[in-house]
Amino acid sequence: MGHADDPLLPGFVLHRTPFRESSLLLEVFTPSGRLGLVARGGRGKRSRIAAIVQPFVPLWLSWTGQGDLATLAHVELRPPPLSLTGRALFTAFYVNELLLRLTSRHDPQPELFEHYQWLLWQLVAGAEEWTLRRFEVVLLAELGYGLLLHCDGDGRPLRPDSRYCYHLERGPLPLQGEAPCPLTISGETLLALDGHSPPQLGAEREAKRLLRAVIHHHLGGRPLRSRELFRQMFVRHTDQGE
Amino acid sequence: MTHPPLVLRLLEALRRLPGVGPKSAQRMAFHLLERDREGALRLSLALQEALEGVGRCRRCHNLSEGELCPICSNERRDGQVVCVVESPADVQALEQSTGFQGRYFVLGGHLSPLDGVGPDELGLEQLAAQVAEGEVQEVIIATNPTVEGEATAHYISELLAASGARITRLAHGVPLGGELEYVDSGTLSRAFHGRREVQ
């Protein structure tokens, strides 16, 4: 529950949609979690806030009211400004869609908020795909869907030189001879995803396949729209899409 | 207060207009029915004719009565420059204030990945096909200065990169007559980084 005189909290708009005649419906992400806010008079010529209540703009926020939809009380910019362009902008949309789809409202996520903020700055600085993979690992862990990355499904330490079959429910299990496995991955890549070592050649591709499968599983199979857009846009040029 | 069913239907229909709530709808309905029945008839005819007669221009997707809108069918407009905008209202705004003599392409929105609005909904393939025909020398991207407008601009510039046409984007700057102190920091920072030589 928020009061107008509560201290301002850092936050980001994840998504906004027009609401009624001149208002905006904002889905914002703060250390207190994701929440829905109505920004009264947030649209139109005279709106003081239309330029700043946009995705990827660091903000200070306060709100009033309780329940599922609170009212934005105060908003101001939280310098320094963050400027995303080009490919990084599309990656950031993908991350916002992940947060919208996987988090629930009013579930405090201070650690995840810090990681999100860190990721956006990394994207501004031209981050590599691996940074996005590490963010996905943290996101899943913070939401209680953590991957098993330090030991196999039977509790044995992972060996960097072994290959594993990743089972969505049980974690990695050593590859058994010729048994078919839809998701094979090296121990080295799993350990690198855990942050123990830098990624080796080929790790990005393996990691992307693993995380795509795991995220798809937790989204209940419904596709991510921003991924589809990303694919249409970039796959024509390269196969290194998000 | 209860209204006759036909009046209720009229009230409901009027409330579809932006900015019209129950009170205004009632005021409009009573005005038309009590004081200006002739005007009401004209309104209903005009509405019906507009609905039947106005469609989209085949080339620029702006509202048009014929297959081509007045701008696209005007021989004196410069077909070598195309300005891409989000809505028909943007065409009006540019026509009134810029003296632009080229043609337009109206997207009808912007890319919004999270709402499922992609390149197909905006007709971007048609835009690419028109540019590929070779007459267009410059594409001016005039999408709104929002995050989504920026993403749309980027997508279009990637899409048309191989066409050989020059791709430009509207400049961002400090509003005329404004004071720096009151300009929002995003605009100010863009204007600062996009500074140019004094001429």
Side-chain angles (χ1 to χ4, degrees):
Chain A
M1 172 166 178
H3 293 286
D5 48 2
D6 281 350
L8 296 174
L9 275 182
F12 285 95
V13 171
L14 293 178
H15 189 45
R16 55 175 191 174
T17 39
F19 183 63
R20 302 227 172 110
E21 195 51 39
S22 61
S23 300
L24 285 170
L25 196 57
L26 307 175
E27 209 55 52
V28 302
F29 190 50
T30 72
S32 325
R34 175 162 77 80
L35 53 135
L37 292 180
V38 176
R40 295 243 160 87
R43 281 190 295 151
K45 274 185 203 160
R46 272 170 235 256
S47 173
R48 200 180 46 80
I49 60 168
I52 66 171
V53 288
Q54 296 198 57
F56 321 123
V57 176
L59 299 171
W60 290 111
L61 299 160
S62 72
W63 56 90
T64 58
Q66 50 185 326
D68 222 24
L69 214 53
T71 303
L72 180 69
H74 185 79
V75 56
E76 59 186 77
L77 289 169
R78 183 165 52 94
L82 194 156
S83 171
L84 282 169
T85 50
R87 191 185 175 110
L89 185 54
F90 285 80
T91 307
F93 272 120
Y94 162 79
V95 173
N96 276 14
E97 189 174 8
L98 276 188
L99 285 175
L100 278 172
R101 295 273 301 273
L102 290 173
T103 62
S104 30
R105 280 182 177 172
H106 307 292
D107 180 16
Q109 297 285 357
E111 300 272 321
L112 188 56
F113 181 81
E114 284 306 318
H115 273 96
Y116 174 70
Q117 185 155 260
W118 171 82
L119 176 71
L120 291 183
W121 281 107
Q122 292 294 309
L123 289 175
V124 170
E128 302 292 320
E129 258 194 72
W130 190 255
T131 314
L132 180 59
R133 297 288 94 81
R134 287 279 300 142
F135 175 80
E136 289 171 337
V137 167
V138 170
L139 170 71
L140 291 167
E142 288 292 327
L143 297 178
Y145 305 136
L147 297 170
L148 202 52
L149 297 173
H150 57 281
C151 63
D152 72 14
D154 296 327
R156 286 175 302 230
L158 291 179
R159 296 165 51 101
D161 52 354
S162 296
R163 288 200 66 77
Y164 293 86
C165 179
Y166 203 98
H167 296 259
L168 294 178
E169 303 295 343
R170 293 187 58 197
L173 292 174
L175 264 188
Q176 301 290 346
E178 297 296 308
C181 169
L183 211 56
T184 62
I185 190 161
S186 73
E188 195 171 32
T189 300
L190 291 168
L191 289 166
L193 271 177
D194 206 24
H196 286 302
S197 51
Q200 303 298 312
L201 202 66
E204 284 193 352
R205 193 167 282 263
E206 276 192 341
K208 181 154 110 181
R209 255 181 6 108
L210 172 68
L211 281 151
R212 182 169 290 190
V214 174
I215 288 170
H216 185 74
H217 175 70
H218 290 301
L219 288 174
R222 275 171 53 216
L224 285 158
R225 288 160 158 173
S226 50
R227 176 181 282 160
E228 177 57 23
L229 185 62
F230 206 98
R231 197 186 58 76
Q232 286 181 28
M233 178 164 179
F234 293 109
V235 170
R236 279 175 299 159
H237 308 294
T238 153
D239 193 28
Q240 299 290 306
E242 128 297 313
Chain B
M1 176 177 166
T2 53
H3 295 293
L6 284 176
V7 175
L8 275 179
R9 251 177 75 188
L10 177 59
L11 291 181
E12 258 188 51
L14 287 168
R15 284 187 57 188
R16 300 190 79 96
L17 291 168
V20 177
K23 269 262 187 257
S24 327
Q26 184 172 304
R27 219 177 58 242
M28 290 175 183
F30 284 1
H31 173 83
L32 291 172
L33 292 172
E34 286 189 309
R35 304 213 171 82
D36 194 6
R37 289 190 161 241
E38 191 190 330
L41 196 60
R42 278 221 305 277
L43 177 65
S44 76
L45 275 175
L47 197 57
Q48 184 155 13
E49 283 170 8
L51 276 178
E52 284 166 4
V54 179
R56 296 263 166 205
C57 169
R58 178 167 54 81
R59 188 186 281 160
C60 74
H61 298 186
N62 200 356
L63 295 175
S64 168
E65 274 184 49
E67 207 179 328
L68 286 180
C69 71
I71 293 178
C72 285
S73 51
N74 184 343
E75 300 269 317
R76 280 179 306 199
R77 303 286 298 214
D78 181 359
Q80 297 188 342
V81 193
V82 171
C83 181
V84 181
V85 295
E86 290 188 15
S87 74
D90 298 335
V91 173
Q92 286 308 320
L94 288 167
E95 282 292 286
Q96 280 164 17
S97 48
T98 61
F100 175 60
Q101 282 303 311
R103 295 202 180 116
Y104 294 91
F105 190 89
V106 181
L107 301 172
H110 47 234
L111 289 182
S112 185
L114 278 57
D115 297 311
V117 180
D120 294 346
E121 284 75 14
L122 303 182
L124 291 182
E125 283 305 319
Q126 283 108 300
L127 174 66
Q130 286 175 25
V131 174
E133 284 169 15
E135 187 193 355
V136 178
Q137 302 294 312
E138 179 179 358
V139 177
I140 304 168
I141 305 178
T143 51
N144 288 330
T146 58
V147 171
E148 294 86 355
E150 197 60 49
T152 312
H154 182 76
Y155 191 100
I156 294 172
S157 67
E158 289 272 321
L159 184 68
L160 303 179
S163 70
R166 181 173 170 233
I167 314 286
T168 55
R169 176 99 169 89
L170 288 196
H172 305 278
V174 176
L176 291 180
E179 292 179 38
L180 292 193
E181 182 187 351
Y182 297 111
V183 174
D184 76 87
S185 67
T187 308
L188 193 53
S189 118
R190 286 285 188 91
F192 189 83
H193 291 294
R195 66 188 180 275
R196 47 179 220 196
E197 299 287 334
V198 177
Q199 291 171 346

